């Protein structure tokens, strides 16, 4: 029976259920007609559709209110209009399209090359007229206004933040104390066993790898692999359905409330939730990719096309396309998505993948681009954590570390590279190492940003785990099926004398020391530390440094093989950081100007320019005065703390360091033997620091 349709409203975009029906609104300036397709699935899996034309068009938006359609309705769109790739126009009503504003997606794409590909036809300019009704995932009407009671964000200051980067499924898939039906899901991450681990570790925020609805490419499917990391986004307002226990149990759309409940649980535990978001490209790829959503709705609005050759996509992401942040429709979708995840899903911030692409209104990167300006003045988005991956690919200005707006923090790639180089004994790293552990004022201080602008990291999802960083000199990515062409070749790693598994006792003794030194450096540096989830457990990927496609034990945490000593070490390090404001300073160390820090040689004399510039310098002592922090906490209390003395020995032999005369000093940490907070006093005026080790002493200030 034909369904009636009323005019409805052009905003909000997407499907909005209301009294007696649902309002549908789709933005497309190039469409000549838009059909809403209400899809019914039979018991045999077959699909039928009812097409309802949306006749109203206002301000670039096609819209209509359909009575009697409510929550749970499965739908898509067919967009009629020009298919002229020579002008960048790719409308094709044979393709059922996802709603770019869908808040829930049901099912997955069935990758039939005849339906989605061009290899069978004459090329990317041809029109593939095979219907995709039975091959497409479906948008689902949901009501995101769940009644979860009070969901109050912990609102943790940047300076007190410790990030924990992890994956919803990877973290929970093998956890023995999480029920089987909850493993790999949002509900699993909210389970007490998962929350207890995070609280034991002492981190303050989980940074989740992408949870927007994504798809796996046909190429990966042919290899039996999966887009595990989730960076091929297709729907920016929908939680990925495969991570939902509710969806598994037969409740399409249930992922929305499940995600909200997860966030509420983590908030009650005092933990913030930061999402890794991918607003630089989509899963539709280049001109040979599938038409799933944005391409078929308004190709030039959503994607940057090559000037003079709009058949092809301008690509700063290495994925085949780049979102067109200079166009109103695309920019509005990004901002609407971000606001939705804050106001309705209650997340506390975002890490932006390849964020330099968001600053390319006109090709070159600019911190004053439309996107950054709009975020800066937005009353919602300007109040949450904003973290940039400050680079993209393929442009002269692709590495933009230190160039983002004032309220942003940035993944500090210089920190990662320098700290790795120092602990593998590369020449000429001492001065840069000192800058990195001091908060990277050379990168951020010039724009009057605080140390919290630097998100310090040693390992991330993209690369070796910490255990693999000290166990492999080269990547071992055979499982990815790309003959070793994928993944970084320059890992700045060191296998400590043997590649991979070994029974060499000297190597087996050195590797844990290297891990402890790297973790201690991370947690003792000024800035915001980020721990890669699983590093505290001794997790390995068997040398795979690009496990993006490994939805299997290579990527899953193996809770049966936990390095309990490393876990305890990491938790104690975090606790030490949180106990001492001197490690969470809100301002940079300035040295002679305020007397807040002294950089000393092992003999106790001041470091000279010659020592800093000597490529063979591998040791330094850092004395930080805990009483001259010019900042105050949120209640106005002066941040007075113990004095802190770091003795850093990057040599492969033991060194003797001289203690400053004024004491007494208490040993707090020694990475050589894994000692943390023994509160022991040294026996003499000198201290022997083991090879490739870091020692920390504390001196109580008179109150």
């Amino acid at each position: 029976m034909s369904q009636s349709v009323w005019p409805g409203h052009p905003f909000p975009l997407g499907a909005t259920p209301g009294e007696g029906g649902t309002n549908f609104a789709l933005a497309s300036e190039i469409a000549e007609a838009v059909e809403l397709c209400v899809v019914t699935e039979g018991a045999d899996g077959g699909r039928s559709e009812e097409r309802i034309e949306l006749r109203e068009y206002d301000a670039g938006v096609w819209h209509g209110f359909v009575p009697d359609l409510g929550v749970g309705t499965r739908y898509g769109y067919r967009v009629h209009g020009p298919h002229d790739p020579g002008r960048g126009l790719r409308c094709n009503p044979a393709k059922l399209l996802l709603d770019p504003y869908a808040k829930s997606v049901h099912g997955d794409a069935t990758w039939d090359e005849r339906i989605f590909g061009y290899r069978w036809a004459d090329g990317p300019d041809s029109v593939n007229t095979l219907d995709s009704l039975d091959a497409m995932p479906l948008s689902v009407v949901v009501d995101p206004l769940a009644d979860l009671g009070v969901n109050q964000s912990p609102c943790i200051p940047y300076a007190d933040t410790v990030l924990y980067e992890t994956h919803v499924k990877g973290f929970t898939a093998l956890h023995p104390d999480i029920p089987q039906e909850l493993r790999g899901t949002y509900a699993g991450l909210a389970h007490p066993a998962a929350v207890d681990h995070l609280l034991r570790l002492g981190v303050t925020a989980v940074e989740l790898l992408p949870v927007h609805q994504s798809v796996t490419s046909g190429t990966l499917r042919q290899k039996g692999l999966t887009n595990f990391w989730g960076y091929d986004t297709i729907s920016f307002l929908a939680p990925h359905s495969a991570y939902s226990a509710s969806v598994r149990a037969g409740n399409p759309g249930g992922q929305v409330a499940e995600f909200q409940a997860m966030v509420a649980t983590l908030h009650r535990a005092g933990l913030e939730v930061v999402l890794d978001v991918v607003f630089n490209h989509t899963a539709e790829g280049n001109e040979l990719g599938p038409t799933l959503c944005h391409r078929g709705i308004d190709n030039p609005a959503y994607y940057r096309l090559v000037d003079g050759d709009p058949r092809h996509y301008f690509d700063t992401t290495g994925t085949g396309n780049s979102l067109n942040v200079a166009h109103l429709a695309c920019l509005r979708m990004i901002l609407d998505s971000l606001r939705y995840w804050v106001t309705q899903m209650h997340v506390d911030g975002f890490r932006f993948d390849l964020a330099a692409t968001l600053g390319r209104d006109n090709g070159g990167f600019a911190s004053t681009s439309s996107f950054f300006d709009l975020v800066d003045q937005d009353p919602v988005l300007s109040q949450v954590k904003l973290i940039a991956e400050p680079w993209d690919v393929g442009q002269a200005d692709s590495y933009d570390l230190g160039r983002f707006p004032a309220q942003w923090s940035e993944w500090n790639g210089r920190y990662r590279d320098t700290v790795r180089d120092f602990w593998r004994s590369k020449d000429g790293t001492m001065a840069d190492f000192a800058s990195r552990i001091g908060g990277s004022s050379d990168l951020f201080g010039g724009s009057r940003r605080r140390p919290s602008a630097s998100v310090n990291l040693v390992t991330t999802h993209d690369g070796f785990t910490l255990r693999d960083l000290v166990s492999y000199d080269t990547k071992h990515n055979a499982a990815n099926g790309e003959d070793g062409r994928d993944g970084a070749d320059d890992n700045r790693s060191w296998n400590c004398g043997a590649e991979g598994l070994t029974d060499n006792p000297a190597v087996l003794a050195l590797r844990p020391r290297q891990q402890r030194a790297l973790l201690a450096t991370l947690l003792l540096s000024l800035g915001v530390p980020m721990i890669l989830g699983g590093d505290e457990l001794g997790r390995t990927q068997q040398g795979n440094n690009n496990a993006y496609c490994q939805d299997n034990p290579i990527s899953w945490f193996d809770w049966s093989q936990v390095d309990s000593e490393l876990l305890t070490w990491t938790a104690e390090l975090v606790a030490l950081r949180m106990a001492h404001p001197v490690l969470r300073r809100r301002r940079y160390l300035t040295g002679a100007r305020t007397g807040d820090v002294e950089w000393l040689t092992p003999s106790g004399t001041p470091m000279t320019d010659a020592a800093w510039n000597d490529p063979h310098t591998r040791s330094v002592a850092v004395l930080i005065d805990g009483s001259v922090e010019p900042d105050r906490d949120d209640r106005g209390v002066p941040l007075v703390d113990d004095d802190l003395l770091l003795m850093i020995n990057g040599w492969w032999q033991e060194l003797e360091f001289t203690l400053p005369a004024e004491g007494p000093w208490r040993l707090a940490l020694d990475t050589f033997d894994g000692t943390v907070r023994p509160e022991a006093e040294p026996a003499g005026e000198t201290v022997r620091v083991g090879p490739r080790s870091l020692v920390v002493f504390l001196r109580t200030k008179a109150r």
Side-chain angles (χ1 to χ4, degrees):
M1 188 173 85
S2 178
Q3 178 73 57
S4 63
V5 58
W6 302 346
H9 304 282
F11 296 100
L13 292 169
T16 306
E19 185 176 354
T22 297
N23 192 82
F24 295 88
L26 179 74
S28 176
E29 295 178 345
I30 67 170
E32 296 170 353
V34 170
E35 292 178 310
L36 170 70
C37 302
V38 180
V39 180
T40 302
E41 295 181 295
D44 60 354
R47 291 179 174 178
S48 60
E49 64 176 328
E50 181 181 0
R51 301 187 185 185
I52 304 169
E53 185 174 357
L54 301 182
R55 299 180 182 275
E56 301 297 325
Y57 179 80
D58 292 289
V61 178
W62 300 82
H63 57 93
F65 183 91
V66 184
D68 301 324
L69 291 185
V71 171
T73 299
R74 302 176 190 184
Y75 70 99
Y77 289 107
R78 296 186 186 273
V79 175
H80 300 257
H83 186 90
D84 185 355
R87 295 193 294 134
L89 308 177
R90 295 181 179 272
C91 295
N92 184 356
K95 304 305 170 190
L96 185 71
L97 303 173
L98 283 169
D99 182 353
Y101 277 72
K103 297 178 177 65
S104 173
V105 174
H106 172 67
D108 199 357
T110 302
W111 284 100
D112 188 322
E113 195 67 41
R114 296 170 301 168
I115 296 173
F116 290 118
Y118 286 102
R119 296 176 189 173
W120 65 277
D122 298 326
D125 289 358
S126 64
V127 181
N128 184 336
T129 58
L130 292 181
D131 197 295
S132 65
L133 171 63
D134 293 322
M136 275 290 293
L138 302 173
S139 305
V140 182
V141 178
V142 296
D143 183 356
L145 301 176
D147 182 11
L148 297 172
V150 177
N151 187 355
Q152 184 67 45
S153 170
C155 294
I156 297 168
Y158 258 123
D160 299 333
T161 296
V162 179
L163 294 163
Y164 183 83
E165 188 196 33
T166 194
H167 188 285
V168 169
K169 183 173 183 180
F171 183 83
T172 61
L174 298 177
H175 200 299
D177 297 328
I178 296 176
Q180 181 68 45
E181 66 273 15
L182 301 184
R183 295 178 189 174
T185 70
Y186 308 119
L189 189 58
H191 188 272
V195 176
D196 287 349
H197 177 78
L198 297 170
L199 294 179
R200 175 188 176 186
L201 191 57
V203 297
T204 68
V206 289
E207 182 176 306
L208 297 178
L209 267 67
V211 296
H212 290 167
Q213 187 73 34
S214 62
V215 296
T216 294
S217 69
T219 301
L220 282 179
R221 290 170 191 254
Q222 289 171 0
K223 297 176 182 178
L225 300 173
T226 303
N227 172 29
F228 179 67
W229 285 351
Y231 284 94
D232 272 348
T233 306
I234 197 58
S235 188
F236 293 103
L237 283 84
H240 191 57
S241 59
Y243 302 154
S244 171
S246 182
V247 171
R248 288 183 191 174
N251 178 24
Q255 63 266 47
V256 177
E258 184 177 333
F259 185 94
Q260 292 171 319
M262 176 198 73
V263 174
T265 298
L266 294 173
H267 280 175
R268 286 193 294 271
L271 296 163
E272 292 185 317
V273 179
V274 175
L275 299 188
D276 190 336
V277 290
V278 189
F279 291 112
N280 55 75
H281 74 278
T282 78
E284 291 185 303
N286 64 14
E287 62 274 8
L288 295 174
T291 297
L292 304 171
C293 182
H294 311 84
R295 170 180 289 139
I297 294 170
D298 196 333
N299 190 51
Y302 285 108
Y303 297 113
R304 292 192 64 189
L305 307 178
V306 174
D307 290 341
D309 188 8
R311 285 179 173 82
H312 301 286
Y313 294 86
F314 187 83
D315 183 11
T316 59
T317 67
T319 65
N321 67 59
S322 302
L323 285 177
N324 186 6
V325 292
H327 194 282
L328 173 61
C330 184
L331 187 58
R332 181 169 56 197
M333 178 191 71
I334 295 171
L335 293 168
D336 285 349
S337 169
L338 293 171
R339 280 189 291 265
Y340 172 78
W341 285 94
V342 175
T343 61
Q344 299 298 316
M345 308 300 269
H346 304 293
V347 304
D348 305 284
F350 305 94
R351 177 266 187 189
F352 293 81
D353 182 64
L354 300 182
T357 294
L358 292 166
R360 297 189 182 280
D361 279 359
N362 299 304
F365 174 82
S367 62
T368 56
S369 73
S370 300
F371 172 76
F372 295 131
D373 284 349
L374 288 171
V375 168
D376 184 46
Q377 61 80 41
D378 189 281
V380 173
L381 301 180
S382 61
Q383 304 304 307
V384 301
K385 287 183 167 66
L386 302 168
I387 302 170
E389 183 183 37
W391 49 78
D392 54 14
V393 299
Q395 303 299 303
D397 60 350
S398 284
Y399 196 76
D400 298 297
L401 178 63
R403 297 181 60 194
F404 279 72
Q407 77 271 34
W408 287 65
S409 295
E410 302 176 36
W411 270 25
N412 193 340
R414 280 277 297 278
Y415 181 97
R416 173 199 60 210
D417 295 345
T418 299
V419 170
R420 289 184 178 191
D421 280 343
F422 179 82
W423 287 113
R424 68 187 180 117
S425 300
K426 183 180 179 181
D427 287 347
T429 58
M430 188 73 259
D432 201 38
F433 181 79
S435 295
R436 297 314 130 227
I437 65 175
S440 296
S441 61
D442 56 329
L443 298 175
F444 305 108
S447 55
R448 304 178 72 177
R449 297 160 73 186
R450 294 181 184 266
S452 56
S454 177
V455 173
N456 299 328
L457 46 94
V458 173
T459 52
T460 73
H461 70 276
D462 189 1
F464 283 141
T465 66
L466 182 64
R467 178 175 169 183
D468 289 354
L469 187 69
V470 302
S471 303
Y472 295 92
D473 278 354
T474 59
K475 63 188 180 184
H476 296 264
N477 294 359
N480 295 353
E482 298 183 41
D483 298 323
R485 294 186 300 273
D486 67 301
D489 293 314
D490 180 17
N491 295 285
R492 301 174 190 247
S493 61
W494 179 44
N495 65 19
C496 296
E499 188 74 359
L501 294 175
T502 182
D503 57 5
N504 184 316
V507 173
L508 293 176
L510 178 57
R511 286 176 177 173
R513 291 173 186 160
Q514 289 288 94
Q515 291 182 77
R516 290 195 294 267
L518 288 161
L519 281 170
T521 303
L522 177 67
L523 271 303
L524 296 172
S525 298
L526 298 189
V528 179
M530 187 186 81
I531 299 169
L532 171 63
D535 278 355
E536 78 280 12
L537 308 176
R539 189 175 77 86
T540 178
Q541 293 178 168
Q542 292 87 51
N544 192 321
N545 75 344
N546 189 36
Y548 77 102
C549 54
Q550 301 296 328
D551 186 4
N552 54 50
I554 291 177
S555 296
W556 303 342
F557 291 22
D558 186 351
W559 295 93
S560 69
Q561 298 292 324
V562 172
D563 185 335
S564 58
E565 292 183 358
L566 186 61
L567 174 56
T568 299
W569 168 266
T570 309
E572 289 286 349
L573 275 175
V574 175
L576 184 70
R577 179 181 181 87
M578 302 309 289
H580 291 283
V582 71
L583 295 172
R584 296 178 278 112
R585 289 175 54 102
R586 289 161 165 79
R587 299 176 187 262
Y588 295 105
L589 300 168
T590 58
R593 184 155 57 88
T594 60
D596 57 2
V597 63
E598 296 181 62
W599 299 89
L600 307 170
T601 67
S603 63
T605 61
M607 287 283 287
T608 63
D609 289 344
W612 284 121
N613 294 324
D614 185 342
H616 302 299
T617 298
R618 289 185 170 86
S619 57
V620 71
V622 190
L623 175 58
I624 303 175
D625 191 324
S627 66
V628 296
E629 164 65 78
D631 212 343
R632 296 171 180 265
D633 69 12
D634 294 335
R635 300 190 188 101
V637 178
L639 295 173
V640 177
D641 192 16
D642 295 338
D643 293 336
L644 183 76
L645 177 64
L646 284 76
M647 297 177 173
I648 301 167
N649 178 17
W651 286 96
W652 43 88
Q653 56 192 2
E654 186 179 72
L655 281 184
E656 186 174 87
F657 282 72
T658 299
L659 281 166
E662 300 82 4
W665 292 97
R666 309 186 315 278
L667 176 65
L669 176 153
D670 187 343
T671 66
F672 184 79
D673 61 8
T675 298
V676 181
R677 297 200 299 178
E679 301 296 324
E681 293 187 20
E685 297 179 354
T686 61
V687 175
R688 304 194 69 83
V689 179
R692 306 184 191 279
S693 296
L694 184 157
V695 173
V696 175
F697 287 93
L698 297 171
R699 178 174 61 186
T700 302
K701 303 291 291 186
R703 296 295 198 271

